[in-house]
Amino acid sequence: NAGVMQNPRHLVRRRGQEARLRCSPMKGHSHVYWYRQLPEEGLKFMVYLQKENIIDESGMPKERFSAEFPKEGPSILRIQQVVRGDSAAYFCASSPPGQAVYEQYFGPGTRLTVT
Amino acid sequence: SQKIEQNSEALNIQEGKTATLTCNYTNYSPAYLQWYRQDPGRGPVFLLLIRENEKEKRKERLKVTFDTTLKQSLFHITASQPADSATYLCALLGNTGFQKLVFGTGTRLLVSP
């Protein structure tokens, strides 16, 4: 059973460009979470999604950031008009429905560098 | 304000000894507390979950305690090995969002042979 897949693993963007980060949850998992880890800081929750629904986006910056988890295909975290402060590691996690929903399984992350 | 504190200094121990890591929190009433391991350049790996009504949980060489009065969790690795060297993260399920994990900054463990 493949784990959580994220791509690309490394992404370099110039200021003002768009960044698209993709996440495929583990098979059978219906919950997806995005976290951001800034250098020397802890993981910060951004958004929690189920298929076609955003459940909690309280950690998302109000502007430039959006996330989706369509019926088919991976979850996408989109950052428009990137700035240097967006440079970070972005992790996706997934969890199964039911009792085990509180255990989150993380992908390897996408390291975004904004130049 | 809500805060989760883990010792930011690395913990250095010798192989075979027991490593004990601490997680303290304030202004939280978590229903669940979790511990993760993170290696450099990788995503966190889930290790153990403990519920607020559980005092202790074990899994192989790992043991977690959860004291909701002290607002503290201790994470123990017995018979430590160099392969246990990593950063260990404490995470709470935040009381403002049932599925939203709130992480501490982690403690780096170094096990010397």
Side-chain angles (χ1 to χ4, degrees):
Chain A
N1 187 10
V4 176
M5 313 269 287
Q6 289 187 251
N7 67 81
R9 295 292 310 277
H10 299 275
L11 182 60
V12 180
R13 285 286 177 266
R14 289 204 176 108
R15 275 181 299 172
Q17 290 185 318
E18 178 179 288
R20 277 183 181 241
L21 288 62
R22 287 176 289 280
C23 169
S24 296
M26 287 178 71
K27 189 176 179 181
H29 285 197
S30 54
H31 304 260
V32 166
Y33 316 82
W34 285 93
Y35 293 84
R36 177 164 66 175
Q37 189 171 38
L38 292 165
E40 306 305 321
E41 290 189 22
L43 284 149
K44 303 288 186 198
F45 168 82
M46 298 181 76
V47 62
Y48 161 41
L49 309 105
Q50 295 180 20
K51 283 284 187 183
E52 300 184 279
N53 285 305
I54 296 173
I55 308 302
D56 181 349
E57 57 181 348
S58 57
M60 288 277 271
K62 294 284 184 273
E63 297 176 349
R64 303 188 297 108
F65 285 71
S66 62
E68 62 177 11
F69 188 17
K71 189 177 178 182
E72 303 289 339
S75 175
I76 306 285
L77 179 67
R78 183 180 176 209
I79 312 172
Q80 295 177 289
Q81 298 177 314
V82 295
V83 301
R84 288 232 171 95
D86 297 332
S87 295
Y90 292 83
F91 292 96
C92 167
S94 71
S95 61
Q99 286 298 313
V101 72
Y102 309 120
E103 299 172 16
Q104 297 184 14
Y105 296 86
F106 283 78
T110 293
R111 273 141 193 88
L112 172 65
T113 302
V114 179
T115 61
Chain B
S1 63
Q2 298 173 330
K3 197 182 282 187
I4 303 173
E5 290 184 336
Q6 294 186 258
N7 195 339
S8 58
E9 291 183 15
L11 177 64
N12 289 277
I13 63 166
Q14 279 202 311
E15 183 175 9
K17 301 289 187 187
T18 296
T20 299
L21 285 70
T22 305
C23 174
N24 294 297
Y25 59 92
T26 54
N27 296 323
Y28 269 105
S29 296
Y32 301 85
L33 187 146
Q34 303 183 12
W35 284 88
Y36 287 79
R37 168 184 173 142
Q38 187 174 23
D39 291 283
R42 302 203 165 199
V45 175
F46 172 80
L47 295 176
L48 278 169
L49 175 150
I50 188 165
R51 292 171 171 78
E52 61 178 336
N53 60 352
E54 296 176 315
K55 296 290 184 192
E56 180 180 300
K57 199 130 186 212
R58 291 174 186 260
K59 180 183 174 183
E60 297 172 352
R61 294 185 296 111
L62 309 180
K63 184 177 89 170
V64 171
T65 62
F66 192 12
D67 189 327
T68 54
T69 302
L70 290 177
K71 296 187 182 293
Q72 181 182 79
S73 174
L74 298 178
F75 177 77
H76 306 272
I77 306 175
T78 58
S80 60
Q81 305 165 0
D84 295 327
S85 299
T87 296
Y88 291 86
L89 308 173
C90 164
L92 308 180
L93 273 173
N95 53 14
T96 57
F98 208 48
Q99 305 288 0
K100 179 168 60 182
L101 279 173
V102 182
F103 282 88
T105 51
T107 298
R108 188 161 177 227
L109 174 66
L110 297 169
V111 181
S112 306

